Amino acid sequence: DPSRDATNITFSDSLSNVISGLTATAVPANGFCGASSSIINVGNFLLFTGASLTAGQSCTFDVTLEVPVGTSSNTYNNITSALSATIGGTPTTLEPASDQLVVNKNLLSITKSFTDDPVLPGDNVTLQFTLTNMDETRTASAISFTDDLDAALTDLVATGLPVADICGTGSSLSGTDTLTLSAGILDAGESCTFNVTLQTPAGAPVGTVATNTTSNITGTITGLAVIGTPASDDLHLGYLDFSKQFLGKTKAGETATLRFTINNNSLSLATSDLEFSDDLIKMFPGLTATGLPQNDICGLGSVVYGTSVIRMARGKLGPNSSCTFDVKLQVPLTAPHGYFINTSSKLQQLSSYVTGPATATLEVDNDTDNDTIMDQVDNCPNNPNLNQLDIDNDGMGDVCDPDDDNDTIPDTRDNCPFMANTNQLDFDNDGLGNKCDPDDDNDGALDAWEIKHSLNPLDPSDGALDLDGDKFSNAEESYFDTNPRIFNLDTDGNGVPDTVDRLRGALIPGRYLLLK
């Protein structure tokens, strides 16, 4: 009321009428709505009294309630008494206030799915669980559930258990015919997903559909019990199996063969309208099927077609029969090196899954010689040559080039395989051609040194001469790279010219001249 004051405002709220055992644990101090205002708290009954408000004024206050343990999840109505007050000197009664209290302890969720069924009796099947804490602000702990596999299908058992820390540190999953998850922990709003491998019984009838249902999922949040409804899925045991394989490895720019096989293991049942798809692009871009379509490849009227996606339609098989067919794939020049997993869709019959997907691995070997240089750029793709040496620059590396110097003489009989020498001259007949022999006359003096000092590299006699009389032969002077026409002292008599000793820092000072 914008013009009149209100005094002596009073109302009550019976909490026990909302939920038996609902109690107030904290109320505001006196004076929260006018100096004389107060709340009398009798646990499950509240009396609001003595409040006053000036014209146009309002007040807001909170009362903390405790919901009793074991309260069912539900929506509960809370209605106060009528509000009485004196407004502008006139006693007045106003309508009660009401609201709903929502109690929800279903704050955990569990889902499950058999991800790769149908499978044949005796095969393994994957059972996937996802647990979720639906509370967005608080951590859930002590999460647990059980799953009686034997109740779904006799002799259905889990393998590879127990596993620790599967849904939070300290959690565990154990069991064989009954799965038990214990001590799970999930942060606010968090989920965890994990797989369990199950062994199906070999003696189960084909066509079996087994419904598998967990217990409730339970846990605690801030010490209070929370739950979730059971999860359920159907396990299908079929009589068809579907597989594929790559026939050998391939490389970029070549082809690969992908072989598909479908078996009907039933001795009495025929099947028809079989179909599947296989997305090649999921392996790597540019991989395509060639030579399609193919007709009557898996029963009369069947067809396999497609390019980047292979599809089979209208497949049919009689009892205890099978079909196998190959599809050629063109591998692009850009195909990467490595191993690539190819997974088809599940095999379907009239849009119903009859067996799980088929999987195969293709090896693209772009490094035939394993030298880490890809074949596309390797100048010797079949011979390891990490250094990629190519002395004649003809694009063929030295380790695989039959004529490294391109002189038309094969390396196997070339006396200078890395220097062009079509005439194959070998003055000293030492098997090393003149073109690459550092000492053509085998006199101990290197050709380059003889030419430098005006000697004849094709005169085997001049290596023993001592032109300057210093008792160092031309061959020795060549070894020390000294001038054969300048006398060289050997002061310390060590058989090394002093000029060389000085360069080596080995000349012993103070020694007298020793004549050789």
PDB file of all heavy atoms in Angstrom, residues 229-259:
ATOM      1  N   THR A 229      17.756 -44.970 -11.600  1.00  0.00           N
ATOM      2  CA  THR A 229      16.975 -46.129 -12.034  1.00  0.00           C
ATOM      3  C   THR A 229      17.856 -47.119 -12.786  1.00  0.00           C
ATOM      4  O   THR A 229      18.896 -46.755 -13.340  1.00  0.00           O
ATOM      5  CB  THR A 229      15.817 -45.684 -12.944  1.00  0.00           C
ATOM      6  OG1 THR A 229      16.351 -44.947 -14.046  1.00  0.00           O
ATOM      7  CG2 THR A 229      14.856 -44.791 -12.176  1.00  0.00           C
ATOM      8  N   PRO A 230      17.468 -48.396 -12.836  1.00  0.00           N
ATOM      9  CA  PRO A 230      18.276 -49.415 -13.518  1.00  0.00           C
ATOM     10  C   PRO A 230      18.441 -49.120 -15.007  1.00  0.00           C
ATOM     11  O   PRO A 230      17.639 -48.401 -15.620  1.00  0.00           O
ATOM     12  CB  PRO A 230      17.477 -50.707 -13.297  1.00  0.00           C
ATOM     13  CG  PRO A 230      16.619 -50.442 -12.102  1.00  0.00           C
ATOM     14  CD  PRO A 230      16.281 -48.983 -12.164  1.00  0.00           C
ATOM     15  N   ALA A 231      19.503 -49.694 -15.589  1.00  0.00           N
ATOM     16  CA  ALA A 231      19.749 -49.605 -17.024  1.00  0.00           C
ATOM     17  C   ALA A 231      19.507 -50.967 -17.650  1.00  0.00           C
ATOM     18  O   ALA A 231      19.714 -52.005 -17.015  1.00  0.00           O
ATOM     19  CB  ALA A 231      21.182 -49.155 -17.292  1.00  0.00           C
ATOM     20  N   SER A 232      19.084 -50.969 -18.917  1.00  0.00           N
ATOM     21  CA  SER A 232      18.748 -52.231 -19.568  1.00  0.00           C
ATOM     22  C   SER A 232      19.095 -52.169 -21.047  1.00  0.00           C
ATOM     23  O   SER A 232      19.057 -51.103 -21.674  1.00  0.00           O
ATOM     24  CB  SER A 232      17.253 -52.520 -19.399  1.00  0.00           C
ATOM     25  OG  SER A 232      16.913 -53.774 -19.951  1.00  0.00           O
ATOM     26  N   ASP A 233      19.503 -53.313 -21.619  1.00  0.00           N
ATOM     27  CA  ASP A 233      19.690 -53.428 -23.063  1.00  0.00           C
ATOM     28  C   ASP A 233      19.544 -54.901 -23.443  1.00  0.00           C
ATOM     29  O   ASP A 233      19.667 -55.786 -22.588  1.00  0.00           O
ATOM     30  CB  ASP A 233      21.058 -52.904 -23.495  1.00  0.00           C
ATOM     31  CG  ASP A 233      21.135 -52.694 -25.003  1.00  0.00           C
ATOM     32  OD1 ASP A 233      20.089 -52.429 -25.625  1.00  0.00           O
ATOM     33  OD2 ASP A 233      22.245 -52.803 -25.568  1.00  0.00           O
ATOM     34  N   ASP A 234      19.290 -55.143 -24.716  1.00  0.00           N
ATOM     35  CA  ASP A 234      19.114 -56.512 -25.209  1.00  0.00           C
ATOM     36  C   ASP A 234      20.381 -56.999 -25.898  1.00  0.00           C
ATOM     37  O   ASP A 234      20.986 -56.275 -26.696  1.00  0.00           O
ATOM     38  CB  ASP A 234      17.953 -56.578 -26.206  1.00  0.00           C
ATOM     39  CG  ASP A 234      16.598 -56.384 -25.540  1.00  0.00           C
ATOM     40  OD1 ASP A 234      16.503 -56.633 -24.330  1.00  0.00           O
ATOM     41  OD2 ASP A 234      15.651 -55.967 -26.248  1.00  0.00           O
ATOM     42  N   LEU A 235      20.768 -58.225 -25.594  1.00  0.00           N
ATOM     43  CA  LEU A 235      21.872 -58.911 -26.253  1.00  0.00           C
ATOM     44  C   LEU A 235      21.298 -59.839 -27.317  1.00  0.00           C
ATOM     45  O   LEU A 235      20.463 -60.689 -27.019  1.00  0.00           O
ATOM     46  CB  LEU A 235      22.693 -59.705 -25.238  1.00  0.00           C
ATOM     47  CG  LEU A 235      23.718 -60.688 -25.808  1.00  0.00           C
ATOM     48  CD1 LEU A 235      24.776 -59.954 -26.627  1.00  0.00           C
ATOM     49  CD2 LEU A 235      24.364 -61.488 -24.679  1.00  0.00           C
ATOM     50  N   HIS A 236      21.764 -59.676 -28.556  1.00  0.00           N
ATOM     51  CA  HIS A 236      21.269 -60.488 -29.665  1.00  0.00           C
ATOM     52  C   HIS A 236      22.340 -61.492 -30.089  1.00  0.00           C
ATOM     53  O   HIS A 236      23.483 -61.114 -30.354  1.00  0.00           O
ATOM     54  CB  HIS A 236      20.915 -59.601 -30.865  1.00  0.00           C
ATOM     55  CG  HIS A 236      19.790 -58.647 -30.601  1.00  0.00           C
ATOM     56  ND1 HIS A 236      18.499 -58.893 -30.998  1.00  0.00           N
ATOM     57  CD2 HIS A 236      19.769 -57.448 -29.972  1.00  0.00           C
ATOM     58  CE1 HIS A 236      17.724 -57.879 -30.652  1.00  0.00           C
ATOM     59  NE2 HIS A 236      18.474 -56.987 -30.012  1.00  0.00           N
ATOM     60  N   LEU A 237      21.978 -62.754 -30.157  1.00  0.00           N
ATOM     61  CA  LEU A 237      22.853 -63.803 -30.671  1.00  0.00           C
ATOM     62  C   LEU A 237      22.370 -64.206 -32.060  1.00  0.00           C
ATOM     63  O   LEU A 237      21.252 -64.705 -32.218  1.00  0.00           O
ATOM     64  CB  LEU A 237      22.863 -65.014 -29.741  1.00  0.00           C
ATOM     65  CG  LEU A 237      23.388 -64.780 -28.316  1.00  0.00           C
ATOM     66  CD1 LEU A 237      23.399 -66.087 -27.535  1.00  0.00           C
ATOM     67  CD2 LEU A 237      24.780 -64.174 -28.348  1.00  0.00           C
ATOM     68  N   GLY A 238      23.187 -63.939 -33.066  1.00  0.00           N
ATOM     69  CA  GLY A 238      22.785 -64.215 -34.439  1.00  0.00           C
ATOM     70  C   GLY A 238      23.387 -65.506 -34.952  1.00  0.00           C
ATOM     71  O   GLY A 238      24.051 -66.248 -34.226  1.00  0.00           O
ATOM     72  N   TYR A 239      23.181 -65.740 -36.251  1.00  0.00           N
ATOM     73  CA  TYR A 239      23.746 -66.938 -36.867  1.00  0.00           C
ATOM     74  C   TYR A 239      24.581 -66.576 -38.092  1.00  0.00           C
ATOM     75  O   TYR A 239      25.034 -67.444 -38.841  1.00  0.00           O
ATOM     76  CB  TYR A 239      22.643 -67.939 -37.246  1.00  0.00           C
ATOM     77  CG  TYR A 239      21.519 -67.372 -38.078  1.00  0.00           C
ATOM     78  CD1 TYR A 239      21.577 -67.389 -39.457  1.00  0.00           C
ATOM     79  CD2 TYR A 239      20.398 -66.825 -37.462  1.00  0.00           C
ATOM     80  CE1 TYR A 239      20.545 -66.877 -40.218  1.00  0.00           C
ATOM     81  CE2 TYR A 239      19.355 -66.301 -38.213  1.00  0.00           C
ATOM     82  CZ  TYR A 239      19.429 -66.333 -39.595  1.00  0.00           C
ATOM     83  OH  TYR A 239      18.413 -65.813 -40.350  1.00  0.00           O
ATOM     84  N   LEU A 240      24.796 -65.270 -38.322  1.00  0.00           N
ATOM     85  CA  LEU A 240      25.661 -64.824 -39.403  1.00  0.00           C
ATOM     86  C   LEU A 240      26.946 -64.247 -38.818  1.00  0.00           C
ATOM     87  O   LEU A 240      26.925 -63.650 -37.730  1.00  0.00           O
ATOM     88  CB  LEU A 240      24.971 -63.749 -40.229  1.00  0.00           C
ATOM     89  CG  LEU A 240      23.667 -64.126 -40.939  1.00  0.00           C
ATOM     90  CD1 LEU A 240      23.065 -62.893 -41.593  1.00  0.00           C
ATOM     91  CD2 LEU A 240      23.921 -65.202 -41.976  1.00  0.00           C
ATOM     92  N   ASP A 241      28.060 -64.461 -39.515  1.00  0.00           N
ATOM     93  CA  ASP A 241      29.260 -63.722 -39.143  1.00  0.00           C
ATOM     94  C   ASP A 241      29.795 -63.000 -40.371  1.00  0.00           C
ATOM     95  O   ASP A 241      29.627 -63.455 -41.508  1.00  0.00           O
ATOM     96  CB  ASP A 241      30.309 -64.615 -38.481  1.00  0.00           C
ATOM     97  CG  ASP A 241      30.878 -65.667 -39.399  1.00  0.00           C
ATOM     98  OD1 ASP A 241      31.599 -65.288 -40.331  1.00  0.00           O
ATOM     99  OD2 ASP A 241      30.622 -66.869 -39.163  1.00  0.00           O
ATOM    100  N   PHE A 242      30.435 -61.867 -40.114  1.00  0.00           N
ATOM    101  CA  PHE A 242      30.822 -60.916 -41.146  1.00  0.00           C
ATOM    102  C   PHE A 242      32.260 -60.512 -40.870  1.00  0.00           C
ATOM    103  O   PHE A 242      32.577 -60.056 -39.761  1.00  0.00           O
ATOM    104  CB  PHE A 242      29.871 -59.714 -41.065  1.00  0.00           C
ATOM    105  CG  PHE A 242      30.146 -58.596 -42.027  1.00  0.00           C
ATOM    106  CD1 PHE A 242      30.637 -58.828 -43.302  1.00  0.00           C
ATOM    107  CD2 PHE A 242      29.883 -57.284 -41.653  1.00  0.00           C
ATOM    108  CE1 PHE A 242      30.867 -57.796 -44.182  1.00  0.00           C
ATOM    109  CE2 PHE A 242      30.103 -56.234 -42.520  1.00  0.00           C
ATOM    110  CZ  PHE A 242      30.601 -56.499 -43.792  1.00  0.00           C
ATOM    111  N   SER A 243      33.147 -60.716 -41.844  1.00  0.00           N
ATOM    112  CA  SER A 243      34.558 -60.394 -41.636  1.00  0.00           C
ATOM    113  C   SER A 243      35.152 -59.854 -42.932  1.00  0.00           C
ATOM    114  O   SER A 243      34.554 -59.948 -44.006  1.00  0.00           O
ATOM    115  CB  SER A 243      35.337 -61.631 -41.179  1.00  0.00           C
ATOM    116  OG  SER A 243      35.302 -62.646 -42.179  1.00  0.00           O
ATOM    117  N   LYS A 244      36.349 -59.278 -42.814  1.00  0.00           N
ATOM    118  CA  LYS A 244      37.053 -58.794 -43.999  1.00  0.00           C
ATOM    119  C   LYS A 244      38.541 -58.737 -43.699  1.00  0.00           C
ATOM    120  O   LYS A 244      38.965 -58.753 -42.532  1.00  0.00           O
ATOM    121  CB  LYS A 244      36.538 -57.426 -44.426  1.00  0.00           C
ATOM    122  CG  LYS A 244      36.762 -56.306 -43.407  1.00  0.00           C
ATOM    123  CD  LYS A 244      36.163 -55.020 -43.940  1.00  0.00           C
ATOM    124  CE  LYS A 244      36.372 -53.871 -42.961  1.00  0.00           C
ATOM    125  NZ  LYS A 244      35.778 -52.623 -43.442  1.00  0.00           N
ATOM    126  N   GLN A 245      39.362 -58.676 -44.762  1.00  0.00           N
ATOM    127  CA  GLN A 245      40.798 -58.588 -44.617  1.00  0.00           C
ATOM    128  C   GLN A 245      41.406 -57.948 -45.856  1.00  0.00           C
ATOM    129  O   GLN A 245      40.846 -58.024 -46.950  1.00  0.00           O
ATOM    130  CB  GLN A 245      41.421 -59.972 -44.399  1.00  0.00           C
ATOM    131  CG  GLN A 245      41.288 -60.897 -45.603  1.00  0.00           C
ATOM    132  CD  GLN A 245      41.916 -62.246 -45.388  1.00  0.00           C
ATOM    133  OE1 GLN A 245      41.255 -63.267 -45.537  1.00  0.00           O
ATOM    134  NE2 GLN A 245      43.182 -62.269 -45.044  1.00  0.00           N
ATOM    135  N   PHE A 246      42.539 -57.272 -45.663  1.00  0.00           N
ATOM    136  CA  PHE A 246      43.311 -56.757 -46.778  1.00  0.00           C
ATOM    137  C   PHE A 246      44.330 -57.817 -47.173  1.00  0.00           C
ATOM    138  O   PHE A 246      45.021 -58.379 -46.314  1.00  0.00           O
ATOM    139  CB  PHE A 246      44.021 -55.453 -46.398  1.00  0.00           C
ATOM    140  CG  PHE A 246      43.091 -54.277 -46.295  1.00  0.00           C
ATOM    141  CD1 PHE A 246      42.611 -53.854 -45.057  1.00  0.00           C
ATOM    142  CD2 PHE A 246      42.685 -53.591 -47.428  1.00  0.00           C
ATOM    143  CE1 PHE A 246      41.748 -52.783 -44.960  1.00  0.00           C
ATOM    144  CE2 PHE A 246      41.831 -52.514 -47.347  1.00  0.00           C
ATOM    145  CZ  PHE A 246      41.354 -52.114 -46.108  1.00  0.00           C
ATOM    146  N   LEU A 247      44.415 -58.095 -48.464  1.00  0.00           N
ATOM    147  CA  LEU A 247      45.327 -59.123 -48.954  1.00  0.00           C
ATOM    148  C   LEU A 247      46.691 -58.491 -49.210  1.00  0.00           C
ATOM    149  O   LEU A 247      47.032 -58.087 -50.318  1.00  0.00           O
ATOM    150  CB  LEU A 247      44.774 -59.754 -50.234  1.00  0.00           C
ATOM    151  CG  LEU A 247      43.367 -60.374 -50.128  1.00  0.00           C
ATOM    152  CD1 LEU A 247      42.997 -61.057 -51.426  1.00  0.00           C
ATOM    153  CD2 LEU A 247      43.287 -61.360 -48.965  1.00  0.00           C
ATOM    154  N   GLY A 248      47.482 -58.405 -48.166  1.00  0.00           N
ATOM    155  CA  GLY A 248      48.823 -57.839 -48.269  1.00  0.00           C
ATOM    156  C   GLY A 248      48.835 -56.337 -48.079  1.00  0.00           C
ATOM    157  O   GLY A 248      47.805 -55.682 -47.947  1.00  0.00           O
ATOM    158  N   LYS A 249      50.048 -55.781 -48.083  1.00  0.00           N
ATOM    159  CA  LYS A 249      50.197 -54.338 -47.905  1.00  0.00           C
ATOM    160  C   LYS A 249      50.271 -53.647 -49.255  1.00  0.00           C
ATOM    161  O   LYS A 249      50.377 -54.278 -50.310  1.00  0.00           O
ATOM    162  CB  LYS A 249      51.439 -54.038 -47.080  1.00  0.00           C
ATOM    163  CG  LYS A 249      52.756 -54.515 -47.679  1.00  0.00           C
ATOM    164  CD  LYS A 249      53.895 -54.276 -46.702  1.00  0.00           C
ATOM    165  CE  LYS A 249      55.229 -54.775 -47.276  1.00  0.00           C
ATOM    166  NZ  LYS A 249      56.341 -54.579 -46.314  1.00  0.00           N
ATOM    167  N   THR A 250      50.245 -52.324 -49.240  1.00  0.00           N
ATOM    168  CA  THR A 250      50.279 -51.540 -50.464  1.00  0.00           C
ATOM    169  C   THR A 250      51.126 -50.310 -50.227  1.00  0.00           C
ATOM    170  O   THR A 250      51.734 -50.150 -49.159  1.00  0.00           O
ATOM    171  CB  THR A 250      48.855 -51.152 -50.897  1.00  0.00           C
ATOM    172  OG1 THR A 250      48.898 -50.540 -52.170  1.00  0.00           O
ATOM    173  CG2 THR A 250      48.222 -50.189 -49.888  1.00  0.00           C
ATOM    174  N   LYS A 251      51.181 -49.438 -51.228  1.00  0.00           N
ATOM    175  CA  LYS A 251      51.877 -48.165 -51.076  1.00  0.00           C
ATOM    176  C   LYS A 251      51.131 -47.104 -51.867  1.00  0.00           C
ATOM    177  O   LYS A 251      50.246 -47.416 -52.673  1.00  0.00           O
ATOM    178  CB  LYS A 251      53.332 -48.257 -51.514  1.00  0.00           C
ATOM    179  CG  LYS A 251      53.539 -48.603 -52.977  1.00  0.00           C
ATOM    180  CD  LYS A 251      55.024 -48.586 -53.357  1.00  0.00           C
ATOM    181  CE  LYS A 251      55.824 -49.558 -52.508  1.00  0.00           C
ATOM    182  NZ  LYS A 251      57.253 -49.571 -52.886  1.00  0.00           N
ATOM    183  N   ALA A 252      51.479 -45.853 -51.606  1.00  0.00           N
ATOM    184  CA  ALA A 252      50.816 -44.736 -52.281  1.00  0.00           C
ATOM    185  C   ALA A 252      50.911 -44.907 -53.792  1.00  0.00           C
ATOM    186  O   ALA A 252      51.966 -45.228 -54.337  1.00  0.00           O
ATOM    187  CB  ALA A 252      51.450 -43.418 -51.853  1.00  0.00           C
ATOM    188  N   GLY A 253      49.768 -44.713 -54.471  1.00  0.00           N
ATOM    189  CA  GLY A 253      49.715 -44.805 -55.910  1.00  0.00           C
ATOM    190  C   GLY A 253      49.438 -46.192 -56.448  1.00  0.00           C
ATOM    191  O   GLY A 253      49.216 -46.351 -57.651  1.00  0.00           O
ATOM    192  N   GLU A 254      49.441 -47.212 -55.568  1.00  0.00           N
ATOM    193  CA  GLU A 254      49.184 -48.578 -56.012  1.00  0.00           C
ATOM    194  C   GLU A 254      47.764 -48.985 -55.612  1.00  0.00           C
ATOM    195  O   GLU A 254      46.970 -48.168 -55.151  1.00  0.00           O
ATOM    196  CB  GLU A 254      50.229 -49.525 -55.419  1.00  0.00           C
ATOM    197  CG  GLU A 254      51.644 -49.224 -55.906  1.00  0.00           C
ATOM    198  CD  GLU A 254      52.654 -50.266 -55.445  1.00  0.00           C
ATOM    199  OE1 GLU A 254      52.273 -51.151 -54.636  1.00  0.00           O
ATOM    200  OE2 GLU A 254      53.814 -50.193 -55.892  1.00  0.00           O
ATOM    201  N   THR A 255      47.433 -50.255 -55.798  1.00  0.00           N
ATOM    202  CA  THR A 255      46.112 -50.752 -55.439  1.00  0.00           C
ATOM    203  C   THR A 255      46.206 -51.672 -54.231  1.00  0.00           C
ATOM    204  O   THR A 255      47.277 -52.174 -53.882  1.00  0.00           O
ATOM    205  CB  THR A 255      45.460 -51.519 -56.609  1.00  0.00           C
ATOM    206  OG1 THR A 255      46.300 -52.628 -56.957  1.00  0.00           O
ATOM    207  CG2 THR A 255      45.281 -50.612 -57.810  1.00  0.00           C
ATOM    208  N   ALA A 256      45.064 -51.891 -53.602  1.00  0.00           N
ATOM    209  CA  ALA A 256      44.941 -52.834 -52.491  1.00  0.00           C
ATOM    210  C   ALA A 256      43.685 -53.665 -52.722  1.00  0.00           C
ATOM    211  O   ALA A 256      42.734 -53.202 -53.364  1.00  0.00           O
ATOM    212  CB  ALA A 256      44.858 -52.097 -51.157  1.00  0.00           C
ATOM    213  N   THR A 257      43.692 -54.886 -52.199  1.00  0.00           N
ATOM    214  CA  THR A 257      42.526 -55.758 -52.340  1.00  0.00           C
ATOM    215  C   THR A 257      41.893 -55.965 -50.970  1.00  0.00           C
ATOM    216  O   THR A 257      42.554 -56.382 -50.020  1.00  0.00           O
ATOM    217  CB  THR A 257      42.923 -57.126 -52.934  1.00  0.00           C
ATOM    218  OG1 THR A 257      43.504 -56.921 -54.219  1.00  0.00           O
ATOM    219  CG2 THR A 257      41.703 -58.031 -53.062  1.00  0.00           C
ATOM    220  N   LEU A 258      40.598 -55.647 -50.878  1.00  0.00           N
ATOM    221  CA  LEU A 258      39.827 -55.824 -49.658  1.00  0.00           C
ATOM    222  C   LEU A 258      38.853 -56.979 -49.872  1.00  0.00           C
ATOM    223  O   LEU A 258      38.010 -56.919 -50.763  1.00  0.00           O
ATOM    224  CB  LEU A 258      39.079 -54.537 -49.312  1.00  0.00           C
ATOM    225  CG  LEU A 258      38.203 -54.536 -48.062  1.00  0.00           C
ATOM    226  CD1 LEU A 258      38.982 -54.954 -46.822  1.00  0.00           C
ATOM    227  CD2 LEU A 258      37.580 -53.154 -47.851  1.00  0.00           C
ATOM    228  N   ARG A 259      39.000 -58.014 -49.067  1.00  0.00           N
ATOM    229  CA  ARG A 259      38.162 -59.211 -49.215  1.00  0.00           C
ATOM    230  C   ARG A 259      37.120 -59.273 -48.104  1.00  0.00           C
ATOM    231  O   ARG A 259      37.446 -59.164 -46.922  1.00  0.00           O
ATOM    232  CB  ARG A 259      39.034 -60.466 -49.173  1.00  0.00           C
ATOM    233  CG  ARG A 259      38.253 -61.777 -49.176  1.00  0.00           C
ATOM    234  CD  ARG A 259      39.167 -62.960 -49.448  1.00  0.00           C
ATOM    235  NE  ARG A 259      39.667 -62.914 -50.834  1.00  0.00           N
ATOM    236  CZ  ARG A 259      40.566 -63.772 -51.314  1.00  0.00           C
ATOM    237  NH1 ARG A 259      41.056 -64.734 -50.531  1.00  0.00           N
ATOM    238  NH2 ARG A 259      40.974 -63.664 -52.570  1.00  0.00           N
TER     239      ARG A 259
END
